[in-house]
Amino acid sequence: MAYPSLYVDENDVNAGHAASIGSIDEDKLYYMMTRGYSKSAAKKEIASGIFEPAIEILRKFNSKLAGNYMMLSRKDLIENFPILNREINGKKVIYFDNAATTLTPVKVTTAIKDFYDYHNANVHRGAHLLSNEATEMYENSRKTVAKFINAKTQETIFTRGTTESINLFAYSIGKSGWLENKEVLITTIEHHSNFVPWQQLANTFNFRVNYYNPENGIFNLDEFISHINENTKLISVSGMSNVTGQIIPIKEIIKYAHERDILVHVDGAQLVPHFGIDVKELDVDFLSFSGHKMLGPMGIGVFYGKKKLLKKLPPFHYGGEMINWVSIEQTDFAELPEKFQAGTPNVGGAVGLKVAIDYINEIGMKNIINHSKKLTDYAIKKIKELDFIKLYIPEKSSSIITFNIDTVHPMMLHKYSVINLE
């Protein structure tokens, strides 16, 4: 994921002082933050008026670009993402694989290194200073994640990623007996992490999986609803397709499901980083997403569930940290969220995820959405000029572009593209 910025040479502007009192212009604030300023520093500089001439040049320049398309300064990108300065086969890296994993900003990698260099200790199990510092950093990370999705900290569980989150949920709700002799409704356009667990655990926990198979991979709400019946107890669906970029109408699905006492789990791996999510406003029961798809490190993810529902689910893993007390006869489990977090957690990953979310918040989700749309519209416009490419674009979609070239296998197309870059 990249953010818009433009390099302005100091010789091109005459700085003047024109301080004024009043609200901060959001556009100015955004421009300053894309230049590397923190939100507080940007506000201070804007209030002083010293960057007013430069900001005006930025506005005039961007207004002249085709389709008002924002150009990106490679200098700024490289400062935030040094990997873009690498050369492969004599060419600078151009990264298009954000749906699989995003690049990681220097701020994130620096924060992770700082944790291991100066604060590394186990959490919740030591009285010494390092352990207290590590615990505070870990729990502050949880608070940041919870606030980002508008959840309670007790409802925010750290996992290794979306895949483990969904496996945790599928196993726990299966073991709870909630699904016994009932059905789980999923689609055939799900990521494997939201498909295979339900398929494989159906026999283990005696439930059935009902599959909705959309024509040409394009989700249709009416068709999906027609698959809901009196045996449906759970719907598990992606909020945004990782294949077509289609935005699934999860709000309508949740409303319809709740009217029939059906729980809803959303795979938010693509949805959360592209649009953010408010679990309270959406009224979703369960949500899974990953850090590495939103500028964070690999190996850290989140599982959210409504507190009243999580209390009814049994643990997924067993061991240290997830217990209250243990005897030969039985074990009493810890309260939320520790009940679902057995063993030593990925504290460095949680710290990195916090900084990644801070980075996203500094830019602003609205700005990310707008810029992503401009990039996507520009790419689609250019691709349409190539008459040998067929596009598959759902009515409501985001920045994933699905296309096909007749008679050419995708792997051959990839190999040919790489050869031509050499």
Side-chain angles (χ1 to χ4, degrees):
M1 186 181 293
Y3 303 106
S5 55
L6 178 67
Y7 176 73
V8 179
D9 190 282
E10 62 183 350
N11 294 320
D12 293 336
V13 299
N14 293 312
H17 183 80
S20 60
I21 298 174
S23 60
I24 296 293
D25 187 301
E26 289 300 317
D27 288 338
K28 296 179 184 177
L29 184 62
Y30 172 54
Y31 279 126
M32 295 301 297
M33 286 165 62
T34 61
R35 296 292 303 146
Y37 282 79
S38 67
K39 193 170 185 177
S40 58
K43 285 183 176 180
K44 182 178 180 181
E45 297 292 0
I46 291 170
S48 73
I50 193 169
F51 285 101
E52 189 70 32
I55 292 171
E56 186 60 31
I57 286 181
L58 286 168
R59 284 176 169 163
K60 290 179 179 179
F61 185 85
N62 280 322
S63 68
K64 294 179 181 179
L65 297 175
N68 202 30
Y69 175 70
M70 281 191 179
M71 298 297 290
L72 300 173
S73 164
R74 184 164 190 85
K75 176 179 179 292
D76 290 333
L77 285 176
I78 291 172
E79 287 177 357
N80 285 277
F81 303 95
I83 197 171
L84 295 177
N85 203 33
R86 273 196 66 186
E87 288 191 4
I88 300 177
N89 299 324
K91 303 287 185 180
K92 293 286 188 180
V93 169
I94 299 175
Y95 193 78
F96 279 117
D97 206 19
N98 291 289
T101 193
T102 54
L103 299 181
T104 312
V106 170
K107 283 185 178 181
V108 174
T109 55
T110 300
I112 296 171
K113 185 176 185 300
D114 179 78
F115 167 74
Y116 282 110
D117 285 349
Y118 302 107
H119 311 282
N120 189 27
N122 219 321
V123 296
H124 294 300
R125 60 183 75 183
H128 57 88
L129 178 62
L130 292 179
S131 180
N132 289 336
E133 288 177 349
T135 299
E136 183 177 6
M137 294 172 74
Y138 183 59
E139 292 305 327
N140 282 340
S141 298
R142 193 191 311 277
K143 290 177 183 177
T144 296
V145 174
K147 185 176 180 181
F148 186 69
I149 62 173
N150 194 25
K152 299 174 182 176
T153 54
Q154 286 183 303
E155 300 171 323
T156 307
I157 298 160
F158 284 125
T159 66
R160 290 184 299 159
T162 302
T163 298
E164 185 175 59
S165 294
I166 298 175
N167 274 271
L168 178 161
F169 175 53
Y171 181 89
S172 295
I173 197 169
K175 190 177 179 182
S176 74
W178 175 264
L179 302 176
E180 189 170 2
N181 296 317
K182 298 298 182 179
E183 288 185 358
V184 176
L185 176 58
I186 64 174
T187 79
T188 57
I189 57 173
E190 300 301 316
H191 189 281
H192 288 156
S193 62
N194 195 34
F195 189 97
V196 178
W198 304 111
Q199 180 194 66
Q200 295 299 307
L201 291 175
N203 290 334
T204 303
F205 295 118
N206 194 29
F207 64 85
R208 296 180 299 277
V209 181
N210 187 6
Y211 300 96
Y212 162 52
N213 186 20
E215 185 178 355
N216 295 323
I218 305 300
F219 184 96
N220 180 281
L221 181 60
D222 292 334
E223 292 176 359
F224 180 77
I225 287 176
S226 71
H227 284 68
I228 297 175
N229 57 59
E230 66 277 5
N231 290 317
T232 307
K233 292 295 288 182
L234 172 69
I235 292 171
S236 188
V237 65
S238 172
M240 175 180 160
S241 172
N242 70 306
V243 177
T244 64
Q246 184 177 11
I247 301 167
I248 308 302
I250 52 176
K251 189 168 186 176
E252 290 82 353
I253 292 172
I254 292 168
K255 183 177 184 298
Y256 187 89
H258 285 176
E259 290 171 351
R260 291 155 180 80
D261 194 30
I262 300 170
L263 298 177
V264 180
H265 164 261
V266 171
D267 172 358
Q270 299 294 337
L271 180 70
V272 173
H274 281 89
F275 294 97
I277 195 169
D278 185 328
V279 295
K280 295 293 188 294
E281 190 273 334
L282 197 60
D283 197 25
V284 65
D285 299 302
F286 303 97
L287 171 73
S288 301
F289 61 98
S290 297
H292 73 97
K293 293 183 187 290
M294 51 191 297
L295 307 180
M298 296 180 182
I300 190 73
V302 177
F303 175 62
Y304 157 84
K306 290 178 178 177
K307 184 178 177 180
K308 63 180 181 180
L309 297 175
L310 289 176
K311 281 181 169 291
K312 297 177 181 179
L313 297 183
F316 176 44
H317 291 146
Y318 300 93
E321 279 305 296
M322 52 78 61
I323 52 91
N324 185 20
W325 55 263
V326 179
S327 70
I328 295 175
E329 290 78 20
Q330 65 181 23
T331 296
D332 183 60
F333 301 124
E335 295 296 319
L336 297 171
E338 284 79 14
K339 172 181 162 182
F340 292 100
Q341 294 183 163
T344 298
N346 181 3
V347 183
V351 169
L353 178 57
K354 176 191 184 302
V355 177
I357 291 175
D358 289 341
Y359 188 92
I360 289 171
N361 286 334
E362 285 178 6
I363 298 297
M365 186 56 71
K366 182 179 178 181
N367 293 320
I368 292 172
I369 293 170
N370 291 338
H371 184 61
S372 180
K373 185 178 186 305
K374 288 179 180 179
L375 287 173
T376 306
D377 290 346
Y378 180 80
I380 290 173
K381 177 184 176 182
K382 291 299 183 181
I383 292 173
K384 282 182 176 179
E385 295 174 4
L386 306 173
D387 57 9
F388 56 87
I389 295 181
K390 182 178 181 181
L391 285 166
Y392 300 88
I393 305 174
E395 185 177 345
K396 291 184 178 181
S397 62
S398 186
S399 55
I400 296 174
I401 302 172
T402 307
F403 65 91
N404 185 42
I405 299 178
D406 291 340
T407 73
V408 180
H409 190 277
M411 291 304 296
M412 290 300 296
L413 175 63
H414 168 73
K415 183 177 180 181
Y416 179 76
S417 298
V418 172
I419 290 172
N420 275 271
L421 286 174
E422 291 181 351

